Amino acid sequence: MLFVEEPIGVTETAQVPQQRGEQLLDAAVRYAEERHWDVFPGTWLEAVEGVERCSCGDTGCAAAGAHPTRPDWAGQATGSAAAARRMWSKQPTSSILLPTGRTFDAIDVPESAGFLALARMERMALTLGPVTCTPDRRMLFFVLPGAAAKAPDLVRNLGWDADTIDLVGRGDGHYVAAPPTRLGGRGAVQWARRPTPANRWLPDAEELISPLAYACAREAADAKARLS
């Protein structure tokens, strides 16, 4: 199989893989072929005078090497493995971007809250979809489409405000970076929960929102206490 499950926390200590062109091309093709996810190539990192910079040319790029190259990126995305191979063959070091709101949405939370929620979900024996960790210390939980629109009300029903506790839904019109895409010099996006045949069927937002919101609220309260 392409993906193998790994234990909670492994991404905290795992070594960052090199972003070789063949790894990116192979991963993009397999995401389309085996998971039926739409993919599209984003920017890439270039070495300029010994410094890695985004191919967009902006020296202050906030998402260096991992954002769309054109405004019509949504129409560029494809679920065809053959088309993905052609696109990455043209620029093998392009980042792998996945549009949300199609085959999945993502619930984006701080990494510390994400690991806390994962541990709680394990104890609750909840069904999980794939989960990524990003170098800017965020975790993204893949769920059924529609989650982004429902998340604010679901969190509000639990007694919190999604913005206040830093829980973000990513749905239609958004995208996420997929492993092994690198973000500037900060490292690579990695799987905290890899795609496997066992998690092909994604959970609905309602199934995960309680432990995620609780963990985010707890982390937000702890951060506030540290500042006081």
Side-chain angles (χ1 to χ4, degrees):
M1 290 296 179
L2 167 64
F3 303 110
V4 179
E5 189 67 58
E6 56 189 39
I8 288 175
V10 71
T11 53
E12 293 185 309
T13 56
Q15 297 217 336
V16 175
Q18 300 239 342
Q19 184 162 303
R20 295 196 301 269
E22 63 270 22
Q23 288 182 324
L24 289 158
L25 185 153
D26 184 60
V29 168
R30 293 194 181 196
Y31 290 146
E33 186 173 60
E34 299 187 9
R35 296 299 292 200
H36 305 295
W37 289 342
D38 284 1
V39 298
F40 68 99
T43 55
W44 56 92
L45 296 173
E46 297 177 331
V48 180
E49 297 178 351
V51 178
E52 283 189 322
R53 294 179 180 171
C54 186
S55 61
C56 72
D58 181 359
T59 56
C61 183
H67 64 82
T69 61
R70 43 197 262 191
D72 63 339
W73 60 264
Q76 184 188 17
T78 179
S80 162
R85 183 175 297 279
R86 285 195 299 272
M87 288 193 290
W88 267 269
S89 293
K90 293 176 182 177
Q91 181 49 254
T93 55
S94 295
S95 54
I96 303 172
L97 304 180
L98 312 175
T100 50
R102 300 186 182 186
T103 51
F104 66 87
D105 277 8
I107 300 178
D108 180 345
V109 301
E111 183 184 80
S112 54
F115 277 112
L116 178 64
L118 275 177
R120 191 176 184 205
M121 291 172 187
E122 287 263 303
R123 294 193 297 271
M124 298 169 68
L126 293 180
T127 300
L128 288 171
V131 183
T132 61
C133 282
T134 71
D136 48 1
R137 305 189 68 81
R138 305 291 296 184
M139 290 183 75
L140 289 91
F141 291 72
F142 288 27
V143 291
L144 287 174
K150 294 187 290 186
D153 284 339
L154 292 173
V155 173
R156 193 175 300 113
N157 291 339
L158 294 170
W160 294 296
D161 176 78
D163 290 337
T164 302
I165 64 173
D166 199 10
L167 184 150
V168 180
R170 301 199 177 278
D172 190 39
H174 293 265
Y175 60 87
V176 299
T181 295
R182 285 176 55 215
L183 302 181
R186 302 192 296 278
V189 180
Q190 299 186 58
W191 292 112
R193 278 290 178 273
R194 293 178 179 271
T196 68
N199 63 24
R200 183 174 296 277
W201 303 107
L202 300 176
D204 206 341
E206 287 92 337
E207 300 174 58
L208 306 186
I209 204 69
S210 180
L212 284 171
Y214 169 81
C216 287
R218 176 172 162 178
E219 290 299 306
D222 287 349
K224 185 177 180 180
R226 288 192 295 268
L227 294 173
S228 62

